[in-house]
Amino acid sequence: TIRGGAGAGGTADSYSIAFNAATAGTATAPATVDASTVSLAGIENVNIASGSAGGVNANVINLIDADARTLTVTGSQAITLGFAGFGTTGTGTNGATIDASAASGGVPSQASLARTVDNGVGGSAISSALAPTRYGRALNGSQQVTLTTGGGKDVIDVSGTVGIYGAGATAAAHVTITDFSTTDTLKFANTGTETFTSTKVDLTGVNDFTAALNAAAAGNGGGNGIITWFQYGGNTYIVEDRDAGNTFNVATDIVVKLTGAVDLSTAVLSAFGRRSSLTLV
């Protein structure tokens, strides 16, 4: 374990990791450079340079750093990030921010512990992005995860948000995607044969967010999930109703916030195994 000086109370400790390995891989049989697990403590700012090398097709690293506040990823080589207790010291609006805006190789990361993720210009999928309990951190109360996916065709898997928020959770504990745009896809959990209602939910007479969620989840999604959308407070929300009740159930249903007014009337729903993918076209 590599330890910083300031501990969780500081903000200035940093540690940098650079990939630029010579391997036995070749262009026809490329190798993956796996840094295994790097354990840090008391270090708030982590930097990774995902450099490319001949015969390398990807870099891989697993990070442990409970005190992390920022993770900055750069470089032209695709890199897969794993986390096992990363940014877990903070509460409320604290937690790690992942900035991969300069990572041109793409970052198909398990970015489950981050409050904010910029997934880089490679347009890679953020897979299982929203299953915080998988790595030991649950979102409780009104805590949120914010994703900025960057350019390209992004795929965000929100199926893991079902029932993960823990005791005291409210519908305010949801994921926000700041730049959901054409060709981007959300993956929802399948209950049966999911359906998507392309017409925006009518919120006439609705005066608060809870009532808006209830209106979006008013159908019977217990057998076959129902995906609906509405706009409230200048932003767009997508709800997957996954139970038979006529109100939003935080234990079973999913809500995703899209920053701004996004028109989903032309979005297309496709089924892929245990996931239903909603793509904005």
Side-chain angles (χ1 to χ4, degrees):
T1 299
I2 300 168
R3 299 184 180 277
T11 59
D13 293 311
S14 64
Y15 187 77
S16 297
I17 301 165
F19 286 85
N20 197 11
T23 73
T26 65
T28 56
T32 296
V33 176
D34 190 345
S36 190
T37 298
V38 175
S39 180
L40 308 172
I43 294 175
E44 292 80 27
N45 307 299
V46 182
N47 305 294
I48 296 178
S50 184
S52 60
V56 176
N57 64 353
N59 297 320
V60 179
I61 191 169
N62 190 59
L63 295 171
I64 299 174
D65 184 5
D67 299 319
R69 291 293 174 266
T70 69
L71 171 62
T72 303
V73 184
T74 60
S76 59
Q77 182 65 65
I79 184 169
T80 297
L81 304 173
F83 302 99
F86 191 81
T88 57
T89 299
T91 58
T93 59
N94 296 326
T97 294
I98 299 177
D99 181 0
S101 58
S104 59
V107 186
S109 62
Q110 295 285 354
S112 56
L113 299 182
R115 288 290 180 269
T116 303
V117 179
D118 189 325
N119 205 41
V121 299
S124 302
I126 301 177
S127 59
S128 301
L130 305 177
T133 54
R134 180 173 180 178
Y135 295 104
R137 183 188 182 94
L139 292 178
N140 297 314
S142 60
Q143 294 177 8
Q144 299 184 26
V145 169
T146 300
L147 304 179
T148 301
T149 59
K153 297 181 180 180
D154 298 297
V155 180
I156 304 100
D157 189 338
V158 297
S159 62
T161 62
V162 177
I164 65 170
Y165 293 123
T170 68
H174 55 256
V175 57
T176 296
I177 302 171
T178 66
D179 60 347
F180 194 75
S181 59
T182 303
T183 72
D184 287 349
T185 297
L186 292 175
K187 286 189 176 182
F188 291 90
N190 275 352
T191 300
T193 302
E194 314 307 282
T195 61
F196 171 61
T197 303
S198 60
T199 302
K200 182 172 59 176
V201 175
D202 183 2
L203 296 184
T204 301
V206 172
N207 298 315
D208 60 67
F209 183 57
T210 298
L213 286 174
N214 289 339
N220 181 353
N224 300 300
I226 304 170
I227 299 173
T228 61
W229 66 287
F230 64 89
Q231 292 177 340
Y232 181 85
N235 297 300
T236 304
Y237 295 84
I238 305 173
V239 169
E240 183 181 16
D241 179 9
R242 304 181 71 250
D243 77 346
N246 61 0
T247 59
F248 184 87
N249 185 342
V250 70
T252 59
D253 299 340
I254 293 173
V255 56
V256 178
K257 175 182 176 181
L258 308 180
T259 300
V262 180
D263 183 3
L264 297 175
S265 61
T266 61
V268 175
L269 185 69
S270 304
F272 294 96
R274 293 179 295 175
R275 302 286 186 269
S276 287
S277 297
L278 184 68
T279 302
L280 183 60
V281 298

